[in-house]
Amino acid sequence: ESTLEEAWQRDLEQGFDVVLASQTVHHVEAGAKRDVFRRVHGVLAPGGLFVLNDKVRFDRAFHQHHVALWNRSRTEHGYDLLDPSRSYDDYVAQERKGGDVPDRLVDQLGWLREAGFAAAESFWQRGDKVVFAARKANR
């Protein structure tokens, strides 16, 4: 009979077919995020998938569009609205104060490829919420 830790170590050695992350990676600074991507690549079996559902940083030019889109969604669901007069810099500062440090989707897709993933793509996006995935090569 093995302990849970021994079973976990065996699973790590064999590699995982899928690693999922949901609404977590945006709390990690860019350098550490790149390290997470490398480490996940290392524990995946050949052909394995890393799937992320997370918040991403949008470009400054998209700020007003993001606020309008998000407010439309918040109105539909009865949530408080974002202040449309708040500047992009104030928005980013407020996010950081709350522990959010999202990075741009294009940067993260590049970091996934740098980490060794054969492919990295996004599948769904609404404002700053994105589902994206990366696949490890079959060898």
Side-chain angles (χ1 to χ4, degrees):
E1 186 173 316
S2 66
T3 66
L4 182 58
E5 185 175 341
E6 289 168 341
W8 174 253
Q9 288 300 319
R10 259 195 323 278
D11 287 344
L12 281 175
E13 290 166 10
Q14 294 172 3
F16 295 100
D17 294 326
V18 178
V19 173
L20 301 172
S22 182
Q23 295 298 312
T24 55
V25 177
H26 72 274
H27 294 290
V28 180
E29 295 283 348
K33 196 173 294 171
R34 292 170 89 167
D35 186 50
V36 167
F37 294 169
R38 284 188 294 273
R39 295 178 81 186
V40 168
H41 182 271
V43 300
L44 280 171
L49 277 177
F50 180 28
V51 182
L52 299 92
N53 164 34
D54 217 335
K55 181 178 191 175
V56 295
R57 167 89 55 238
F58 48 87
D59 290 330
R60 179 181 300 275
F62 187 69
H63 176 67
Q64 290 304 317
H65 299 289
H66 167 73
V67 170
L69 175 66
W70 207 240
N71 280 345
R72 185 172 62 211
S73 176
R74 285 173 171 254
T75 298
E76 292 170 5
H77 299 289
Y79 294 116
D80 293 336
L81 302 181
L82 297 175
D83 180 358
S85 67
R86 195 165 91 193
S87 74
Y88 177 79
D89 292 331
D90 287 345
Y91 179 83
V92 170
Q94 185 66 32
E95 279 189 323
R96 288 191 74 78
K97 188 176 179 181
D100 291 354
V101 287
D103 289 291
R104 296 180 325 146
L105 175 61
V106 67
D107 293 332
Q108 292 183 70
L109 293 173
W111 298 340
L112 287 162
R113 291 182 189 102
E114 284 176 10
F117 287 95
E121 299 292 338
S122 63
F123 297 96
W124 177 89
Q125 181 170 2
R126 183 166 187 179
D128 61 353
K129 306 296 187 246
V130 180
V131 176
F132 55 113
R135 184 181 58 77
K136 186 172 181 173
N138 286 323
R139 286 199 200 229

